[in-house]
């Protein structure tokens, strides 16, 4: 067995909250008369909330915005986003994902979350996924978000595993860069498969079993 642990990104890998991020950012962008498309939203994958706002403001042409006002906008966006999260439940995680996680654990792999999101604990609770993991490293524990390796190194530290023994599963290019910078191999799924920079490419989540059990 080459790897001892698997670190999962959350948004875009285990749950599909990217549509909620999109709707919440869109609401704020409209208020500020900023054009915001789904393509723009793709640039926010794996990026922290504050950095996401700066990316959105690249297309803003109004009066200068103070730091206090930006904090207010961030809170507003998060309130909208959390309203969507409040409607999530166990059914928002596919059976294929739950079964794959259980199988990996049964086979002795240590499992962790490595997410930029400060809402990680709430999402795991809503979807009844908390107990599926041995450790959770998230946006509340780091000072630098992906593409910085901090969140993945934190996950390895919590698992008491060496980075080289961990495989990361990611949907964002920023996350692929972060995992490599942490000295970890990466399996890409979804959007991150396009750039072909990852070590493995997953067509479906359960393809992980083929990588880890060969
Ligand atoms: P929050 P991940 C990331 O989660 C999202 O992909 C990204 O779009 C979001 O801005 C970031 O979390 C922060 O989320 O506003 O909930 O703190 O993909 O790293 O699981
Ligand atoms: Mg993601």
């Amino acid at each position: 067995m080459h790897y001892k642990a698997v670190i999962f990104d959350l948004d875009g890998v285990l749950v599909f909250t990217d549509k909620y991020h999109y709707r919440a950012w869109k609401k704020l962008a409209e208020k500020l008369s900023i054009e915001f498309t789904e393509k723009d939203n793709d640039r926010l994958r794996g990026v922290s909330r504050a950095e996401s706002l700066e990316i959105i403001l690249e297309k803003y042409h109004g009066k200068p915005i103070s730091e206090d006002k930006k904090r207010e906008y961030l809170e507003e966006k998060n309130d909208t986003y959390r309203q969507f999260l409040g409607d999530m439940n166990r059914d928002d995680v596919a059976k294929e994902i739950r079964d794959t996680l259980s199988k990996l654990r049964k086979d002795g792999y240590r499992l962790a979350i490595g997410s930029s999101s400060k809402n990680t604990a709430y999402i795991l609770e809503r979807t009844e996924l908390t107990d599926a993991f041995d450790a959770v490293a998230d946006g509340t524990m780091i000072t630098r978000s992906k593409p910085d390796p901090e969140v993945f190194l934190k996950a390895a530290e919590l698992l008491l595993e060496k980075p080289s023994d961990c495989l990361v599963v990611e949907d964002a290019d920023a996350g692929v860069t972060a995992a490599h910078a942490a000295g970890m191999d990466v399996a890409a799924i979804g959007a991150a498969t396009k750039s072909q920079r990852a070590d493995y490419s997953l067509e479906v989540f359960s393809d992980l079993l083929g990588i880890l059990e060969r």
Side-chain angles (χ1 to χ4, degrees):
M1 193 160 73
H2 181 55
Y3 303 104
K4 293 185 177 160
V6 191
I7 303 173
F8 297 88
D9 171 59
L10 181 62
D11 179 18
V13 171
L14 301 175
V15 293
F16 299 92
T17 46
D18 35 1
K19 56 182 182 289
Y20 303 141
H21 278 297
Y22 173 67
R23 285 185 216 157
W25 282 126
K26 179 97 180 154
K27 189 173 168 203
L28 179 68
E30 274 170 5
K31 176 171 144 170
L32 298 173
S33 305
I34 299 172
E35 189 207 346
F36 183 66
T37 63
E38 291 202 33
K39 204 165 160 232
D40 294 321
N41 195 54
D42 278 346
R43 283 182 68 200
L44 313 182
R45 281 177 200 281
V47 174
S48 74
R49 199 182 309 161
E51 285 162 319
S52 298
L53 178 63
E54 295 302 329
I55 293 174
I56 289 167
L57 290 177
E58 285 172 10
K59 288 195 194 164
Y60 172 74
H61 304 294
K63 296 190 289 195
I65 301 172
S66 68
E67 290 307 309
D68 275 355
K69 200 73 197 165
K70 281 185 191 173
R71 270 191 288 276
E72 207 179 283
Y73 290 152
L74 287 172
E75 238 174 78
E76 209 175 293
K77 184 267 168 177
N78 198 47
D79 287 347
T80 314
Y81 177 59
R82 282 181 71 102
Q83 273 174 29
F84 291 125
L85 297 183
D87 288 336
M88 289 183 87
N89 59 48
R90 201 183 154 79
D91 297 337
D92 283 288
V93 178
K95 184 174 181 300
E96 182 208 4
I97 292 182
R98 284 189 199 276
D99 290 350
T100 304
L101 293 174
S102 310
K103 177 86 172 64
L104 290 176
R105 237 185 175 181
K106 222 163 79 200
D107 291 347
Y109 288 99
R110 309 256 293 139
L111 308 185
I113 293 284
S115 167
S116 300
S117 176
K118 292 183 174 162
N119 292 299
T120 295
Y122 186 46
I123 296 169
L124 294 177
E125 182 200 310
R126 292 289 331 161
T127 55
E128 297 176 32
L129 266 184
T130 313
D131 293 341
F133 298 93
D134 302 293
V136 175
D138 68 21
T140 64
M141 303 169 183
I142 54 169
T143 54
R144 299 175 302 277
S145 83
K146 302 167 191 174
D148 191 281
E150 192 178 0
V151 79
F152 292 136
L153 291 173
K154 185 80 204 167
E157 182 192 316
L158 293 171
L159 287 174
L160 304 173
E161 299 289 356
K162 284 193 295 197
S164 56
D165 287 332
C166 301
L167 175 71
V168 169
V169 186
E170 256 293 346
D171 74 307
D173 280 330
V176 173
T177 306
H180 282 158
M184 300 174 185
D185 285 350
V186 197
I189 192 160
T193 58
K194 288 187 205 134
S195 62
Q196 300 190 327
R197 290 172 43 243
D199 304 278
Y200 310 96
S201 185
L202 308 179
E203 222 166 278
V204 291
F205 192 81
S206 53
D207 286 347
L208 251 189
L209 298 174
I211 295 169
L212 291 163
E213 296 183 355
R214 66 179 164 212

